[in-house]
Amino acid sequence: MKYFWKCYCYSFISLILLSLATLGCGSNNMEDFVDCIYVHSSNNNDSNSTLIHTPSSSSYSYVLNFSIRNLRFSEPQTPKPVAIITPSHASQVQATVICCKSHGLQIRTRSGGHDFEGRSYVANVPFVLIDLINLNSITIDVEDETAWVQSGATVGELYYKIGEKSRTLGFPAGFKATIGLGGFLSGGGIGMMVRKYGLGADNVVDAYVVDRNGRVVNRYSMGEDLFWAIRGGGGGSFGIVLAWKLRLVQVPSIVTSFALHKTWDQNAANLIYRWQYIAPWVDQDLFISAWVTASNSSKDESGRIMEASFFSLFLGNATELLSLMEKTFPELGLKKKDCLEMSWVESMAFSASGFVSAKSLELLLDRTPVDNGRYKTKSDYATEPISETALKGMWERFKDEELETVQLILIPFGGKMNEISESETPSPHRAGYPIHIGYYLTWQQPNADSRNLEWARELHDYMTPFVSKSPRAAYVNYRDLDMGTNNDDGVPTRYKEASLWGHRYFGNNFERLMEVKMKVDPFNFFRHEQSIPPAPPRVGI
Ligand SMILES: Cc1cc2nc3c(=O)[nH]c(=O)nc-3n(C[C@H](O)[C@H](O)[C@H](O)COP(=O)(O)OP(=O)(O)OC[C@H]3O[C@@H](n4cnc5c(N)ncnc54)[C@H](O)[C@@H]3O)c2cc1C
Ligand SMILES: *[C@@H]1O[C@H](CO)[C@@H](O)[C@H](O)[C@H]1NC(C)=O
Ligand SMILES: *[C@@H]1O[C@H](CO)[C@@H](O)[C@H](O)[C@H]1NC(C)=O
Ligand SMILES: *[C@@H]1O[C@H](CO)[C@@H](O)[C@H](O)[C@H]1NC(C)=O
Ligand SMILES: *[C@@H]1O[C@H](CO)[C@@H](O)[C@H](O)[C@H]1NC(C)=O
Ligand SMILES: *[C@@H]1O[C@H](CO)[C@@H](O)[C@H](O)[C@H]1NC(C)=O
């Protein structure tokens, strides 16, 4: 990093300021950058130490680490930002854009830091990390049934704030409380109400964005093209979204959750297979996700433990749920004692706890992660049920004792998702994609990295015949750099390469995303390994 920074310095600054060269180019350049930020932010209330963190500040490593969720990207050799900016005011975000541009630095924007490939805080070129952790205000308007949320707020903070104001309003966001709204909404956003209300981004009605010129624009001034692109086109390509206006959704004052665990002896494999025929097609008030977890057993036992779990949210009471389950999925054997009636916000706390307890709503406000291991994730969509034989082959792989923990998470779509056209937002996988598949590998030891990464690729290859094809679809919020990347400097080597992952994340929407990018950021200032490249508008057919 230092090397790059100095390189930049010598070639540009020292030519102009020859006399300063002997004073140490790096630090002068940094001072110049810091001054630039202050000159350009209209609100200078923050002390310098809390707004700008340079590698020499005592706060630098703490701030950098705080939102790193994947320790694979927290190694000594991981490239680090030349500075971290923690704005608490829009003008400081604007200043960062202006000053990074004038100093030849790239920007990585971080909201919650959950990017599976660490793209919000790692780059192979000199970059500034703009961490929105202090831009986390949430304003709920119960009358209007809307909320303004800043990007640095987490989904848990949103749930908590809604719960404080109303028991009958909710928002369809993710399972884990620590996910940042900035990245989540930028990539679409899947949660437990996806079958009733669609993706998180489907419920965004306005936004404030800092564009490539450092201007703040809203839905009206940015225009419908950019407003379309930011609701699912993936973070880091179009600008820095400061805040989002959300349409809140109706939830009953009592909802019912359940968490059922089945061992392989309890017919788990067959239940997973059957689930595919039921969960995407039942009443849209009922959401049942299916998880399979395989790991080495605890120390006192031996062998590999494999278990299926069904985590559910029903927008109604237990009586209704039991009768619905009796009609549609009796083989799961749901009993009255399994049904947990609670308020909607409690059901979100239940989910955030890993479906263990709904007791503590405060858990929703906790930004420190439960476990901060190393992981690799991939995604798929099933367009038709996966055969029993194909599933069996997957379970055989899960038994591999070399793996610490491997998990399959199946999310049912259908319901509202079938009513939204593929071009409504950049997220195209709606009708025809009844099941979202997530594969997760987690481990602790750095020396297990290559084994796990390789295993994940092999599993993905194995699944090829059984999932969506041409293109094989993937979810952009499950970023996976195995699909291909732009060059280090963000300029795609060839359109062909960018379109490899582009079409898999966005289907036919990829072309429109590139056109919007060309319009709003033709010189590709906002970029990363899988950002949208600018392309001229299509001519003719
Ligand atoms: C433990 C865990 C659980 C998850 N659960 C779910 C789930 O239930 N449902 C689901 O859909 N996904 C889930 N995900 C995936 C998650 O939605 C994505 O990783 C999402 O992008 C994270 O948002 P973030 O703000 O935390 O991430 P960040 O890492 O901060 O950002 C992700 C990307 O968006 C960019 N970005 C961030 N903020 C902004 C902004 N304000 N403006 C422009 N670009 C921005 C970043 O530069 C980066 O490219 C989960 C991930 C993890 C690690
Ligand atoms: C600066 O902070 C003070 C005290 O917190 C506040 O009264 C004032 O309005 C702030 N100034 C600006 C420009 O925000
Ligand atoms: C921050 O630093 C700049 C120069 O580096 C200075 O002009 C400004 O007054 C400082 N602001 C505060 C609040 O200390
Ligand atoms: C940040 O994380 C790195 C790597 O995990 C570690 O070495 C360092 O001590 C951490 N810094 C702080 C302040 O926690
Ligand atoms: C459950 O909900 C149904 C439909 O709203 C209602 O008719 C019924 O009285 C409720 N039952 C209980 C036990 O609350
Ligand atoms: C799991 O247990 C087996 C058998 O005891 C052992 O060989 C293997 O190394 C363990 N795997 C991990 C990841 O710890």
Side-chain angles (χ1 to χ4, degrees):
M1 274 323 299
K2 246 188 182 138
Y3 172 74
F4 277 114
W5 181 243
K6 279 186 182 145
C7 241
Y8 163 78
C9 265
Y10 281 113
S11 41
F12 298 96
I13 304 290
S14 55
L15 283 178
I16 306 159
L17 303 170
L18 272 177
S19 60
L20 291 179
T22 50
L23 296 176
C25 185
S27 62
N28 272 310
N29 203 4
M30 184 56 79
E31 275 169 31
D32 192 56
F33 175 74
V34 169
D35 282 348
C36 178
I37 298 278
Y38 279 99
V39 167
H40 285 92
S41 17
S42 59
N43 184 327
N44 272 4
N45 254 1
D46 296 273
S47 77
N48 284 351
S49 64
T50 60
L51 175 61
I52 304 180
H53 315 261
T54 61
S56 57
S57 338
S58 56
S59 53
Y60 177 88
S61 170
Y62 176 78
V63 175
L64 179 63
N65 283 5
F66 189 81
S67 296
I68 292 184
R69 291 290 172 263
N70 192 343
L71 294 184
R72 219 153 43 89
F73 304 108
S74 188
E75 293 290 314
Q77 68 272 18
T78 309
K80 307 281 192 288
V82 297
I84 306 171
I85 312 287
T86 48
S88 47
H89 190 268
S91 70
Q92 296 160 342
V93 180
Q94 299 175 270
T96 307
V97 169
I98 291 164
C99 300
C100 283
K101 240 164 99 174
S102 62
H103 286 71
L105 292 162
Q106 283 194 25
I107 290 187
R108 293 294 180 273
T109 306
R110 184 163 73 179
S111 290
H114 285 57
D115 191 295
F116 284 128
E117 298 276 18
R119 290 311 100 184
S120 52
Y121 52 88
V122 180
N124 295 317
V125 291
F127 74 105
V128 167
L129 166 58
I130 176 156
D131 189 319
L132 304 180
I133 190 155
N134 295 328
L135 283 173
N136 68 340
S137 78
I138 294 174
T139 316
I140 310 285
D141 186 336
V142 174
E143 295 277 280
D144 195 35
E145 299 185 1
T146 55
W148 269 107
V149 299
Q150 287 184 317
S151 284
T154 62
V155 308
E157 288 164 352
L158 172 62
Y159 296 153
Y160 187 91
K161 291 282 165 106
I162 295 174
E164 271 184 337
K165 291 277 178 74
S166 165
R167 273 179 82 96
T168 54
L169 290 175
F171 187 78
F175 288 77
K176 284 271 184 275
T178 49
I179 305 166
L181 284 163
F184 180 80
L185 295 169
S186 292
I190 300 171
M192 298 187 88
M193 295 200 292
V194 66
R195 309 191 62 246
K196 176 86 171 183
Y197 294 115
L199 303 173
D202 296 338
N203 298 280
V204 168
V205 292
D206 201 346
Y208 283 108
V209 177
V210 175
D211 72 9
R212 74 174 199 283
N213 295 315
R215 282 180 314 218
V216 176
V217 291
N218 66 4
R219 178 173 184 170
Y220 178 74
S221 52
M222 78 178 85
E224 286 302 307
D225 269 347
L226 180 54
F227 185 62
W228 174 83
I230 59 169
R231 287 172 299 149
S237 287
F238 298 99
I240 298 173
V241 183
L242 293 171
W244 313 75
K245 186 180 185 182
L246 310 177
R247 179 175 57 230
L248 301 179
V249 302
Q250 296 287 337
V251 295
S253 55
I254 294 290
V255 303
T256 309
S257 298
F258 70 79
L260 281 184
H261 302 279
K262 302 279 181 181
T263 63
W264 243 240
D265 295 340
Q266 294 168 314
N267 205 20
N270 188 249
L271 289 171
I272 295 285
Y273 172 70
R274 286 286 301 143
W275 173 94
Q276 303 179 92
Y277 290 87
I278 297 157
W281 318 104
V282 290
D283 189 299
Q284 61 187 19
D285 285 332
L286 177 57
F287 171 93
I288 308 174
S289 58
W291 305 45
V292 174
T293 308
S295 59
N296 267 3
S297 60
S298 54
K299 288 185 189 69
D300 49 329
E301 293 170 56
S302 64
R304 192 111 175 128
I305 296 266
M306 206 147 99
E307 185 180 66
S309 307
F310 297 87
F311 297 125
S312 175
L313 171 67
F314 176 63
L315 299 171
N317 63 32
T319 318
E320 291 172 283
L321 173 61
L322 283 165
S323 88
L324 185 58
M325 288 294 283
E326 188 50 44
K327 269 182 262 164
T328 54
F329 202 0
E331 54 272 56
L332 195 59
L334 186 72
K335 305 259 169 17
K336 183 147 179 58
K337 67 169 173 50
D338 304 318
C339 298
L340 309 169
E341 288 186 331
M342 55 181 86
S343 68
W344 175 82
V345 67
E346 285 169 329
S347 77
M348 292 300 109
F350 184 55
S351 162
S353 76
F355 302 94
V356 173
S357 156
K359 289 282 174 321
S360 166
L361 291 186
E362 307 304 316
L363 180 71
L364 293 171
L365 302 177
D366 189 355
R367 291 187 81 122
T368 50
V370 189
D371 80 89
N372 225 351
R374 312 170 81 81
Y375 51 81
K376 176 66 192 176
T377 308
K378 287 176 177 287
S379 66
D380 259 320
Y381 289 86
T383 48
E384 51 192 67
I386 303 165
S387 71
E388 277 183 292
T389 324
L391 287 172
K392 203 156 172 261
M394 180 152 41
W395 312 145
E396 284 307 313
R397 286 168 181 269
F398 275 38
K399 286 180 188 156
D400 186 345
E401 288 190 340
E402 293 295 298
L403 301 174
E404 216 165 289
T405 305
V406 52
Q407 215 167 27
L408 173 79
I409 303 183
L410 303 175
I411 302 289
F413 281 5
K416 175 80 177 176
M417 289 296 274
N418 290 351
E419 296 164 20
I420 301 173
S421 86
E422 65 170 329
S423 57
E424 181 83 18
T425 74
S427 313
H429 310 120
R430 311 264 187 180
Y433 296 88
I435 298 169
H436 176 265
I437 306 172
Y439 315 92
Y440 292 75
L441 283 106
T442 48
W443 65 97
Q444 301 300 326
Q445 297 307 322
N447 63 12
D449 282 6
S450 56
R451 183 198 311 150
N452 279 274
L453 297 179
E454 185 54 33
W455 196 93
R457 283 182 208 117
E458 284 171 8
L459 175 66
H460 192 256
D461 286 346
Y462 168 75
M463 290 300 288
T464 309
F466 316 122
V467 294
S468 65
K469 293 171 192 68
S470 348
R472 182 172 183 175
Y475 174 33
V476 66
N477 263 347
Y478 278 44
R479 195 179 294 296
D480 178 5
L481 296 185
D482 290 346
M483 286 193 260
T485 61
N486 296 318
N487 278 342
D488 275 350
D489 64 358
V491 182
T493 328
R494 291 192 300 262
Y495 159 79
K496 226 173 118 191
E497 284 172 8
S499 75
L500 271 183
W501 43 264
H503 284 128
R504 288 169 62 173
Y505 290 146
F506 307 112
N508 295 327
N509 294 327
F510 184 54
E511 269 70 26
R512 181 170 172 199
L513 284 168
M514 287 189 297
E515 286 169 25
V516 177
K517 173 74 176 179
M518 185 68 188
K519 214 164 100 180
V520 303
D521 187 21
F523 300 114
N524 211 10
F525 176 65
F526 294 108
R527 64 199 195 206
H528 56 73
E529 284 76 354
Q530 283 187 343
S531 57
I532 307 285
R538 277 164 291 184
V539 278
I541 50 160

